[in-house]
């Protein structure tokens, strides 16, 4: 069978169960199978000795590497069979005899029922080795379960007395004796409701028969009675007992329903909170707080790097004061490496003050959660199961978060890669053109010394100079691109006068600008903005050079500043042809180079405006372009204004 | 005998070094060339140059360290030349004691203009001695004793902080003063909001000194600092 074996061992309170678990573990080890310890919690009333036994067996199973699961159900066979079917169990290990039979439970053995309900699963029976007292009688448990409480006893007595009173009333007004029998059955029902433990129901059933016999059957005031009544007594006793048994079942069930509702609620809240948490730290924090609230223990949490843990302390157990976290770290480290529980209440690092559990998925331990367990009541099974569910959910959330991030990173990398490839292609083309011109012009100068007229000489020199300057501008933009890593720009932010940037930019624009009319429209008001001055100057230089590049000689270019809606609005307007309609947003795309131009035309690889956009956005501003009347383009961008305080004239 | 001042050029790149040598030659300056920090320190200490042109990216030493060492014995003007367009490097060099900076690629005109500014500062200091009671720069006049400033003999009305700023710039005419330096000198300790205030004070001060079409007295070096320019009718300091 190529499929992975999954072995299920049933946990019970039976003294032989420990042996069963050990054997199942040995079997799982031998077959290299996964071991699952299943405990079917039923509606039996809480019994401390039983709970402790179950707890011991569960932790035994856990030490043997079993995965713990608890399910709820009154019929263990159906519950086990259902679980086995759902989770693909291949083998079930059982003890020789089912642990107990309920008073009115079906008499078939667990094994035969399982065989019937889960025919595909192999059932392995481990014979009893210990000689145990014959399975404790139901009656003995019946007595053992309830402890005598005088209050409950008094209640039972009082109810019985009231029933007797009502009985007298009924006979006085001449009602049939059967009504009195019904009154007593009703009384026993009431006793079952107001007392804890079946002992009171049993006692009141018994005594109600006695009292009925004493007061209401002939001869009155004597326990002797005619054999006619024996049948009545028997039916009365059975009816009372049965109904009380049913009542206690209902009561137990309602407690369990409440527990289940609580569990569902906790899990639901946790998943809601987890959905909102969008980062590993936040996820861990949610889980930590939920656990803290649920268990009422202080909880600490190590991230996978085992750096300083985050603490979530509560008062009930004294928080983490006085705990040597450095010493505790070893246990956490072990959990991180092995992905298993350690610390207090386990065999590994039992001297630790906390119980450490891994938040893990298939292969990775994402974090380690520590729960202070040295001076608080132990965590009951119910909460422990909840805790494990929460940890599982946490692991899922962290894993999902991790995968999303990983995916994003890969996508981002791919995007950057293709961007870089595009960039490199464009750059090598655009670098080569001016370089060819520079080297060619220089070669002419070298080879034709003395043969060139002043006019041609000047043209060659100017061409070399212009190309060099243009190359420098390109390099400047490229340098800025290298500063943008993963889309995030590292800014050296300072408060600057916006007008200063305009003046600075006007000093750095191309020589061609001399043949355009450039005017500055600066406001009276001094607008300050937080910015990386070098980058904002570069934005302005790019916009101005762009305006120069796309306008004919003699064109008018205006650069202006205004306050608008709490932002500083800076614009560069020209009276050229404007942006092709529909291209308003595309002009800021990388490698957009305007109207179709001849393939060998140069100047501009569509880098400048894209760079402007990312610079302005990194400053928290916006950038845009609109065409103006009668013709021309107006590029604008905004920067958040800084209001100066403490300035007094 | 050549009375022209001696310029020390510290530059590791041969092409740039020869470019500067040619430029200095055309103006008749005497110069010494150093290829690294060690040579620079030897030349600076033994030859007593008037001005040092220092490249920040030397193979053997950080340019900033050279400035700090040189400043232990001389106040000669140091103009740093940096290929890095990062403002932080320039500010660091200026704070370490450099007077001015140039960013590669620079034009020869600009190099010579900066050199003249630096040399004028040397001359002014030599002739005026330490602190004179009156500062004169073109049509700007500051009477330190009276605590007044004049433009073309017209008194300009300045707030106390503006006056102190003007004096600080005047005492360091030709030198680029970084924001940090000015803030420390005027405010002592400062907070982030003072940085904004400084921009506003400077802008108003510049406006008050602005008298017409000529070159402004205070030059803004965005992201770096401010500088008072020496004016003498000729406008040659345009960067």
């Amino acid at each position: 069978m190529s499929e992975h074996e999954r072995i299920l061992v049933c946990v019970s309170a039976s003294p032989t169960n420990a042996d069963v678990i050990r054997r199942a573990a040995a079997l799982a080890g031998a077959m290299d199978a996964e071991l699952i310890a299943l405990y079917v919690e039923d509606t039996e009333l809480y019994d401390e000795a039983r709970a402790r036994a179950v707890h011991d067996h569960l932790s035994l199973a856990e030490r043997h590497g079993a995965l713990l699961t608890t399910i709820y159900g009154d019929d263990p066979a159906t519950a086990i069979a259902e679980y086995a079917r759902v989770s693909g169990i291949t083998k079930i290990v059982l003890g020789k005899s089912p642990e107990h039979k309920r008073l009115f439970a079906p008499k078939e053995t667990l094994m035969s029922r399982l065989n019937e309900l889960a025919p595909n699963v192999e059932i392995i029976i481990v014979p009893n080795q210990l000689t145990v007292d014959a399975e404790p009688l139901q009656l003995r448990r019946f007595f053992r379960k309830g402890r005598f409480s005088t209050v409950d006893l008094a209640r039972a007595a009082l109810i019985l007395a009231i029933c007797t009173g009502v009985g007298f009333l009924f006979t006085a007004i001449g009602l049939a004796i059967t009504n009195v029998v019904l009154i007593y059955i009703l009384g026993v029902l009431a006793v079952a409701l107001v007392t804890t433990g079946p002992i009171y129901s049993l006692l009141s059933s018994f005594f109600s028969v006695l009292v009925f016999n004493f007061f209401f059957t002939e001869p009155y005031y004597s326990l002797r009675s005619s054999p006619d009544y024996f049948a009545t007594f028997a039916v009365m006793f059975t009816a009372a007992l049965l109904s009380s048994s049913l009542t206690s079942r209902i009561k137990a069930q309602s407690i369990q329903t409440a527990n289940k509702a609580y569990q569902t609620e906790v899990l639901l809240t946790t998943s809601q909170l987890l959905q909102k948490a969008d980062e590993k730290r936040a996820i861990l924090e949610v889980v930590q707080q939920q656990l803290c609230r649920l268990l009422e223990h202080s909880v600490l949490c190590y991230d996978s790097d085992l750096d300083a843990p985050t603490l979530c302390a509560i008062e009930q157990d004294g928080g983490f004061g006085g705990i040597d976290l450095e010493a505790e770290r070893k246990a956490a480290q072990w959990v991180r490496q092995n992905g298993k529980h350690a610390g207090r209440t386990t065999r590994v690092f039992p001297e630790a003050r906390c119980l450490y559990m891994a938040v893990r998925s298939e292969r990775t331990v994402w974090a380690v959660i520590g729960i202070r367990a040295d001076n608080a009541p132990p965590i009951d099974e119910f909460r422990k199961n909840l805790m494990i569910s929460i940890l599982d959910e946490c692991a899922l959330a962290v894993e999902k978060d991790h995968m999303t991030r990983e995916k994003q990173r890969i996508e981002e990398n791919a995007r950057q890669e293709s961007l870089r490839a595009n960039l490199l292609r464009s750059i090598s083309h655009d670098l080569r053109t001016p370089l060819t011109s520079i080297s060619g012009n220089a070669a002419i100068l070298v080879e034709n010394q003395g043969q060139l007229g002043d006019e041609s000489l000047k043209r060659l020199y100017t061409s070399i100079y212009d190309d060099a300057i243009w190359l420098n501008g390109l390099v400047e933009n490229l340098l800025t691109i290298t500063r943008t890593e993963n889309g995030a720009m590292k800014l050296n932010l300072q408060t600057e006068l916006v007008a200063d940037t305009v003046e600075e930019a006007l000093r750095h624009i191309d020589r061609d600008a001399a043949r355009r009319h450039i005017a500055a429209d600066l406001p009276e008001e001094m607008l300050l903005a937080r910015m990386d001055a070098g980058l904002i100057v570069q934005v302005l230089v790019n916009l101005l050079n762009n305006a120069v590049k796309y306008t004919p000689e003699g064109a008018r270019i205006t650069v202006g500043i205004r306050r608008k809606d709490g932002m500083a609005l800076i614009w560069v307007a020209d009276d050229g042809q404007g942006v092709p309609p529909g291209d308003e947003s595309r002009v800021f795309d990388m490698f957009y180079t305007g109207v179709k131009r001849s393939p060998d035309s140069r100047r501009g690889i569509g880098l400048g405006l894209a760079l402007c956009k990312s610079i302005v956005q990194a400053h928290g501003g916006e950038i845009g372009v609109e065409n103006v009347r009668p013709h021309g383009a107006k590029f604008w961008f905004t920067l958040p204004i800084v209001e100066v305080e403490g300035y007094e004239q | 005998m050549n009375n022209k001042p001696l310029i020390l050029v510290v530059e590791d790149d041969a092409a740039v070094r020869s470019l500067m040598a040619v430029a200095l030659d055309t103006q008749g300056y005497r110069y010494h060339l150093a290829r690294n920090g060690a040579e620079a320190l030897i030349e600076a200490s033994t030859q007593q140059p008037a001005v040092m042109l220092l490249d920040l990216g030397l193979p053997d030493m950080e340019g900033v360290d050279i400035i700090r060492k040189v400043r232990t014995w001389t106040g000669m003007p140091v103009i740093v030349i940096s290929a890095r367009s990062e403002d932080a490097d320039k500010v660091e060099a200026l704070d370490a004691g450099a007077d001015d900076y140039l960013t590669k690629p620079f034009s020869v005109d600009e190099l010579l203009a900066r050199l003249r500014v630096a040399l004028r500062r040397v001359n002014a200091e030599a002739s005026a001695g330490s602190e004179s009671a009156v500062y004169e720069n073109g049509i700007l006049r500051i009477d330190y004793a009276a605590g007044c400033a004049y433009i073309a003999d017209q008194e300009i009305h300045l707030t106390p902080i503006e006056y102190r700023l003007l004096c600080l710039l005047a005492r360091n005419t030709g030198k680029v003063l970084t924001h940090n330096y000015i803030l420390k000198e005027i405010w002592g300790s400062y907070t982030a909001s003072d940085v904004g205030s400084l921009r506003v004070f400077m802008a108003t001060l510049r406006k008050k000194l602005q008298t017409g079409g000529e070159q402004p007295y205070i030059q803004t070096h965005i992201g770096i600092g401010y500088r008072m320019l020496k004016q003498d009718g000729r406008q040659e300091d345009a960067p």
Side-chain angles (χ1 to χ4, degrees), chain B residues 6 8 32-34 38-49 73:
Chain B
L6 176 69
L8 174 59
H32 278 224
L33 300 174
E39 280 182 31
L41 287 174
I42 294 169
E43 294 280 336
S45 56
T46 58
Q47 303 296 323
Q48 295 188 320
W73 77 80

Side-chain angles (χ1 to χ4, degrees), chain A residues 46 66 146 159 258 370:
Chain A
Y46 185 75
I159 289 170

Side-chain angles (χ1 to χ4, degrees), chain A residues 8-319:
Chain A
L8 182 86
V9 60
C10 297
V11 175
S12 72
S14 156
T16 56
N17 190 241
D19 190 49
V20 175
I21 291 168
R22 272 185 219 105
R23 280 159 179 259
L27 177 70
M31 296 181 64
D32 196 19
E34 199 173 339
L35 183 65
I36 293 134
L38 180 73
Y39 173 57
V40 183
E41 194 168 337
D42 55 21
T43 49
E44 289 288 333
L45 278 179
Y46 185 75
D47 172 350
E48 199 164 324
R50 213 169 86 106
R52 198 176 306 120
V54 170
H55 176 84
D56 289 348
H57 292 155
L58 281 173
S59 36
L60 174 73
E62 194 177 356
R63 282 201 297 276
H64 281 98
L67 191 82
L68 303 190
T69 310
T70 302
I71 53 177
Y72 299 88
D74 265 338
D75 180 5
T78 327
I80 293 170
E82 189 57 23
Y83 181 84
R85 194 179 60 77
V86 171
S87 50
I89 298 295
T90 51
K91 288 182 171 56
I92 297 178
V93 179
L94 285 179
K96 168 81 176 164
S97 58
E99 182 217 341
H100 66 265
K101 291 188 206 100
R102 196 185 304 286
L103 198 49
F104 305 104
K107 293 278 184 261
E108 286 168 280
T109 64
L110 182 61
M111 193 196 119
S112 60
R113 292 212 56 216
L114 268 181
N115 254 334
E116 203 176 293
L117 292 165
N120 299 330
V121 181
E122 189 183 342
I123 295 170
I124 298 164
I125 303 292
V126 175
N128 268 348
Q129 291 213 319
L130 303 168
T131 43
V132 189
D133 315 337
E135 170 60 19
L137 291 166
Q138 195 63 34
L139 268 183
R140 228 174 92 192
R141 279 187 50 228
F142 222 70
F143 282 105
R144 199 179 44 191
K145 255 193 202 169
R147 245 170 251 114
F148 280 103
S149 133
T150 42
V151 180
D152 281 353
L153 212 58
R155 279 181 187 152
L158 182 68
I159 289 170
L160 218 58
I162 292 172
C163 290
T164 313
V166 176
F168 275 122
L169 197 68
F170 278 15
T171 43
I173 58 172
L175 290 175
I177 198 81
T178 38
N179 291 312
V180 181
V181 173
L182 285 176
I183 290 293
Y184 275 107
I185 293 176
L186 196 67
V188 174
L189 252 170
V191 169
L193 268 177
V194 298
T195 58
T196 51
I199 178 70
Y200 301 104
S201 313
L202 184 73
L203 282 177
S204 45
S205 305
F206 183 68
F207 278 106
S208 54
V209 171
L210 278 189
V211 172
F212 176 72
N213 181 10
F214 190 73
F215 289 114
F216 299 106
T217 58
E218 288 176 40
Y220 299 115
Y221 305 111
S222 121
L223 288 179
R224 286 182 299 115
S225 55
S226 75
D228 284 356
Y229 280 113
F230 285 145
T232 317
F233 295 156
V235 171
M236 185 175 159
F237 180 75
T238 322
L241 201 57
L242 257 176
S243 54
S244 75
S245 155
L246 281 173
T247 315
S248 17
R249 287 263 295 272
I250 290 166
K251 222 164 110 184
Q253 253 163 358
S254 70
I255 292 172
Q256 228 179 55
T257 315
N259 270 350
K260 251 190 236 174
Y262 176 65
Q263 174 181 19
T264 318
E265 192 199 307
V266 169
L267 285 177
L268 205 68
T269 331
T270 311
S271 20
Q272 273 168 354
L273 288 172
L274 282 179
Q275 250 157 28
K276 278 189 213 133
D278 52 356
E279 194 221 3
K280 188 179 176 193
R281 275 249 147 250
I283 292 171
L284 292 178
E285 205 169 297
V286 163
V287 167
Q288 199 178 359
Q289 274 165 6
Q290 284 297 104
L291 285 179
C292 201
R293 204 170 301 150
L294 169 75
L295 306 173
E296 292 179 340
H297 285 234
S298 291
V299 177
L300 57 76
C301 172
Y302 285 98
D303 207 338
S304 49
D305 54 9
L306 293 179
D307 209 22
T310 53
L311 307 178
C312 182
I314 53 163
E315 281 167 28
Q316 282 95 317
D317 60 2

Side-chain angles (χ1 to χ4, degrees), chain A residues 472 495-497 501 503 507 526, chain B residues 105 199 203-204 206 220 222:
Chain A
N472 186 48
T495 309
E496 301 283 356
L497 266 179
T501 60
E503 282 173 27
R507 279 202 282 269
M526 284 178 215
Chain B
R199 306 293 189 279
T204 50
R206 283 181 58 181
T220 305
I222 196 152

